[in-house]
Amino acid sequence: MSEIIGVKDLNLWYGQTQALKDINMNIEEHAVTALIGPSGCGKSTFLKTLNRMNDLIPGVRIEGCVEYCGKNIYDAGTDVNELRRSIGMVFQKPNPFPMSIYDNVAYGPRTHGSRKKTERDLAQGRRHLGRGKGQTQKVRTRALRRSAAEALHSPCTCGEARSAAHGRADERP
């Protein structure tokens, strides 16, 4: 197997508080990797560094190197949208970007070029706003699931398309 992600001397601060300290690890392509630790130890913070989600949080400072397919993802020329197409995140609890609900729901499909369908689906959701919280939430949930499904079926290994339905990592070609 070849290394797909390499992390060297990674440190992250939220303002004055250091959340990650001297993280070093390599992740092999197609390997199953588990991050295990108590609540608040930095597991999600670390994962968010792998597709630069922390860039959107004010006051975050990151030092060190994170390489994906041999390229430092924190280099100035990195196309963050392309990076996020390759390294998707699905969290147990919603982890919205610091923008409106509408923009969060539309982010995935917009990034993948599905503007017309996204705008139509979200407009349908806005029409439901007068129906009460339950109905509105159902429409938003459907739109979010559609966005997540598109993200899961996007390229995820150096431009090579893979889907969540390929089975176990050790059985993949």
Side-chain angles (χ1 to χ4, degrees):
M1 281 196 238
S2 62
E3 178 184 306
I4 193 160
I5 295 176
V7 180
K8 185 167 173 54
D9 300 324
L10 179 66
N11 293 281
L12 180 141
W13 289 264
Y14 293 114
Q16 298 295 332
T17 304
Q18 188 168 8
L20 299 177
K21 185 176 181 181
D22 298 326
I23 306 295
N24 291 285
M25 75 180 301
N26 296 320
I27 300 173
E28 301 294 322
E29 188 171 13
H30 305 297
V32 176
T33 305
L35 300 176
I36 301 170
S39 178
C41 73
K43 299 179 300 290
S44 293
T45 299
F46 171 70
L47 286 174
K48 290 189 286 184
T49 64
L50 301 180
N51 77 349
R52 295 185 51 175
M53 285 177 67
N54 289 311
D55 290 10
L56 302 169
I57 300 171
V60 168
R61 182 170 52 106
I62 298 171
E63 294 177 357
C65 179
V66 178
E67 290 187 348
Y68 173 67
C69 295
K71 296 179 184 171
N72 187 346
I73 66 170
Y74 287 96
D75 282 347
T78 300
D79 183 337
V80 178
N81 288 324
E82 278 300 315
L83 175 69
R84 291 182 183 144
R85 281 189 185 118
S86 298
I87 304 176
M89 300 284 161
V90 179
F91 292 94
Q92 185 174 7
K93 293 181 181 176
N95 196 0
F97 290 118
M99 57 180 87
S100 72
I101 292 170
Y102 179 90
D103 287 334
N104 267 281
V105 171
Y107 181 82
R110 281 180 180 162
T111 301
H112 289 81
S114 313
R115 288 193 182 276
K116 289 182 182 178
K117 187 172 185 333
T118 302
E119 300 302 327
R120 187 176 61 243
D121 289 347
L122 292 173
Q124 177 186 357
R126 277 198 299 257
R127 284 195 298 273
H128 289 282
L129 288 175
R131 293 187 177 181
K133 280 189 171 177
Q135 289 295 320
T136 302
Q137 190 61 38
K138 285 178 187 174
V139 170
R140 286 185 185 146
T141 301
R142 273 187 233 121
L144 190 55
R145 280 188 190 137
R146 208 172 284 138
S147 297
E150 287 180 21
L152 283 173
H153 289 81
S154 65
C156 61
T157 56
C158 297
E160 183 180 339
R162 298 256 183 237
S163 79
H166 275 85
R168 291 178 24 184
D170 58 346
E171 294 176 346
R172 293 182 190 156

